[in-house]
Amino acid sequence: MAHTVIDITKELKELGLKALNSGTSTGSKWMSNDLDPIASFSPVDGAEIGKVGVTTEKEYQEVIAKAEAAFKSWRTVPAPKRGDMVRQFGDKLREKKEALGKLVSYEMGKSYQEGLGEVQEMIDICEFAVGLSRQLHGLTMHSERPNHRMYEQYHPLGIVGIISAFNFPVAVWAWNTALAWVSGDVCVWKGSEKTPLCSVACQNIIAEVLADNNLPEGISCLITGDYKIGEIMTNDKRVALVSATGSIRMGKIVAETVAKRLGKSLLELGGNNAIIITESADLEMCIPAMVFGAVGTCGQRCTSTRRLIIHESLYDTVKEKLVNAYKQLRIGNPLDENNHVGPLIDTDSVNAYLAAIEKVKASGGNVIVEGGVYEGEGYESGCYVKPSIAEADNSWEIVQHETFAPILYIMKYSTLDEAIALQNGVVQGLSSAIMTSSMREMELFLSTQGSDCGIANVNIGTSGAEIGGAFGGEKETGGGRESGSDAWKAYMRRQTNTINYGNDLPLAQGIKFDL
């Protein structure tokens, strides 16, 4: 890969980014302090893109105070009006899609097409939320008492704290905020310290919308820093809901901390996703699903395909096709649309990837596509790696663990029951898939005897969810649901109401209480 000078000056300017940016905002108001800022280095070429200031505890308190004040007025705005604000935000994203997509690609390392796709996810969830703003519904129920009416309704929670990860530096925030805003909540976002410029760029965009509509400071807030500022937020009883995306280790800490104060948490954690390749599978359809699932975003999606469970009759054929497909992968600058795979996020991730490969070999795994780090001109950042494939046993510790890198484990099975047991035989429960031409196999996989994951697909891969469906997983993936369907209910509190429009006071269950 020839070395190319990458210039995104135009995009940075369009997104309102400078060499030094504040990382603390309550809308259009930005705060500054004397602490050392975070420097954002691109994994694409190792260049410094810009710096972002970190949030102090004092500034955090100011942010929360603004958010509390904003909630008191925002919750009284009719939901369709709140939806109109989200519509305008979606329109701004359309205007800045190319610039923001390019920043996502350059700061995170995913391909430019994936960067554009991530911004499209933001636009899509805005559209979903706009429609939802006219459909926030409850139920009407018949009362057992005469002249009584019962119904339930949903009210906003208050402050929603959002902790997002580097691999989807903008979309996951939008999944949460779009729904939270139409629900009447206000949001405080701690983006990943590995992609801080993406967070600032998004805050700049929503700040324009808030200013255009003369809406109060505090509806959308940004804080920046490492886990310490996240700890302050998760311990804060004023934050009604903490939505956290990241590792299982991090999620357990968040869940315990928030539970201790009886707050609410929404967790989207690790995945160890498998595709089952049955005897009846269409292999021409399987190959792109398997390869993109394993190497898309350089294996740094929570829905990335980690394991292939292949019927023994097709095992050698699939293995050969995979090896040939991997030979065709182009690894390099993700802004060059001829390339398939960009870099890992940083050298720490590279080291974790190399350590995982060594553990596979130490466990007795047969590495059929060797991994390693790319060196030379164009790979100076040290973050480019070769996607690897290894024959492995599902029970090995390294296979049970999610390595956020392009390592694919393959294994064989004899019966579908055995394949489903292998698929379910990990602690994570996010995404799963089966490739089959048999309706019986499909239905069994989707039945109560089948996949135990929050997402179960047929004849598509494990990654690439649409916003219309609820996104999330079971077991140690956390159990949360974001995005579509009725995920909006996580951002609201349910209230049951009973109205007596009669002249008597009958008690429920026929209880008599005469005075």
Side-chain angles (χ1 to χ4, degrees), residues 92-256:
K92 289 279 188 186
L93 289 171
R94 286 181 175 87
E95 294 173 13
K96 300 180 186 293
K97 179 178 176 179
E98 287 73 23
L100 185 55
K102 197 166 187 178
L103 174 63
V104 168
S105 178
Y106 188 52
E107 189 174 32
M108 185 269 149
K110 64 175 61 176
S111 75
Y112 180 47
Q113 282 299 312
E114 291 183 77
L116 292 174
E118 184 169 348
V119 181
Q120 186 61 49
E121 279 194 58
M122 302 174 77
I123 295 167
D124 291 345
I125 196 63
C126 286
E127 287 189 349
F128 181 90
V130 172
L132 178 65
S133 69
R134 293 183 180 271
Q135 300 180 67
L136 297 173
H137 57 78
L139 295 173
T140 299
M141 297 151 285
H142 290 282
S143 172
E144 67 184 57
R145 291 169 282 186
N147 300 323
H148 281 59
R149 181 166 71 89
M150 288 179 61
Y151 68 97
E152 66 178 21
Q153 59 181 328
Y154 288 83
H155 295 298
L157 286 174
I159 299 175
V160 172
I162 301 162
I163 301 173
S164 63
F166 72 85
N167 60 331
F168 280 84
V170 296
V172 172
W173 169 72
W175 283 4
N176 284 273
T177 52
L179 299 190
W181 285 331
V182 298
S183 298
D185 299 316
V186 298
C187 298
V188 179
W189 179 25
K190 182 207 169 300
S192 171
E193 63 269 32
K194 295 184 179 183
T195 52
L197 289 167
C198 284
S199 303
V200 175
C202 290
Q203 183 69 5
N204 283 338
I205 295 170
I206 187 59
E208 290 182 32
V209 177
L210 297 176
D212 290 345
N213 290 271
N214 197 29
L215 289 169
E217 294 282 326
I219 291 174
S220 178
C221 301
L222 177 68
I223 57 176
T224 300
D226 60 15
Y227 71 93
K228 294 176 184 176
I229 197 68
E231 283 182 346
I232 294 173
M233 184 165 69
T234 54
N235 277 290
D236 193 342
K237 65 181 180 180
R238 295 167 295 180
V239 180
L241 169 70
V242 176
S243 176
T245 302
S247 68
I248 291 172
R249 182 194 62 80
M250 179 274 288
K252 287 181 177 180
I253 295 170
V254 170
E256 181 179 359

Side-chain angles (χ1 to χ4, degrees), residues 115-435:
L116 292 174
E118 184 169 348
V119 181
Q120 186 61 49
E121 279 194 58
M122 302 174 77
I123 295 167
D124 291 345
I125 196 63
C126 286
E127 287 189 349
F128 181 90
V130 172
L132 178 65
S133 69
R134 293 183 180 271
Q135 300 180 67
L136 297 173
H137 57 78
L139 295 173
T140 299
M141 297 151 285
H142 290 282
S143 172
E144 67 184 57
R145 291 169 282 186
N147 300 323
H148 281 59
R149 181 166 71 89
M150 288 179 61
Y151 68 97
E152 66 178 21
Q153 59 181 328
Y154 288 83
H155 295 298
L157 286 174
I159 299 175
V160 172
I162 301 162
I163 301 173
S164 63
F166 72 85
N167 60 331
F168 280 84
V170 296
V172 172
W173 169 72
W175 283 4
N176 284 273
T177 52
L179 299 190
W181 285 331
V182 298
S183 298
D185 299 316
V186 298
C187 298
V188 179
W189 179 25
K190 182 207 169 300
S192 171
E193 63 269 32
K194 295 184 179 183
T195 52
L197 289 167
C198 284
S199 303
V200 175
C202 290
Q203 183 69 5
N204 283 338
I205 295 170
I206 187 59
E208 290 182 32
V209 177
L210 297 176
D212 290 345
N213 290 271
N214 197 29
L215 289 169
E217 294 282 326
I219 291 174
S220 178
C221 301
L222 177 68
I223 57 176
T224 300
D226 60 15
Y227 71 93
K228 294 176 184 176
I229 197 68
E231 283 182 346
I232 294 173
M233 184 165 69
T234 54
N235 277 290
D236 193 342
K237 65 181 180 180
R238 295 167 295 180
V239 180
L241 169 70
V242 176
S243 176
T245 302
S247 68
I248 291 172
R249 182 194 62 80
M250 179 274 288
K252 287 181 177 180
I253 295 170
V254 170
E256 181 179 359
T257 303
V258 176
K260 280 181 179 178
R261 60 178 177 85
L262 296 180
K264 298 177 184 294
S265 60
L266 194 167
L267 302 174
E268 298 289 356
L269 310 177
N272 196 346
N273 317 294
I275 300 178
I276 297 173
I277 311 297
T278 71
E279 194 172 11
S280 66
D282 179 344
L283 295 188
E284 294 307 309
M285 183 185 294
C286 291
I287 296 301
M290 293 186 293
V291 175
F292 177 74
V295 307
T297 322
C298 202
Q300 296 171 113
R301 292 182 176 217
C302 52
T303 55
S304 290
T305 304
R306 308 285 176 203
R307 298 172 294 141
L308 285 184
I309 303 167
I310 308 164
H311 191 270
E312 58 189 5
S313 67
L314 295 176
Y315 186 79
D316 290 336
T317 301
V318 171
K319 184 166 69 169
E320 182 181 358
K321 286 181 177 292
L322 274 173
V323 171
N324 289 335
Y326 270 51
K327 289 177 181 177
Q328 300 173 52
L329 291 175
R330 293 185 294 274
I331 294 93
N333 174 9
L335 295 173
D336 180 346
E337 295 186 54
N338 291 314
N339 292 326
H340 297 110
V341 185
L344 290 173
I345 185 65
D346 55 26
T347 53
D348 287 342
S349 292
V350 172
N351 292 333
Y353 155 83
L354 294 173
I357 291 176
E358 291 306 311
K359 287 183 180 179
V360 172
K361 292 178 178 178
S363 299
N366 177 30
V367 178
I368 60 175
V369 176
E370 282 288 347
V373 180
Y374 275 94
E375 297 177 348
E377 188 178 9
Y379 301 105
E380 288 85 355
S381 70
C383 296
Y384 291 89
V385 301
K386 303 171 185 177
S388 178
I389 303 175
E391 295 178 295
D393 190 290
N394 201 61
S395 65
W396 293 347
E397 187 275 335
I398 187 59
V399 178
Q400 291 283 313
H401 175 75
E402 179 192 40
T403 301
F404 231 46
I407 303 175
L408 179 64
Y409 305 114
I410 65 173
M411 56 200 75
K412 65 177 70 172
Y413 76 93
S414 300
T415 67
L416 186 57
D417 286 344
E418 179 189 353
I420 291 172
L422 288 169
Q423 140 67 38
N424 293 343
V426 292
V427 298
Q428 307 88 349
L430 180 52
S431 188
S432 58
I434 189 170
M435 308 299 282

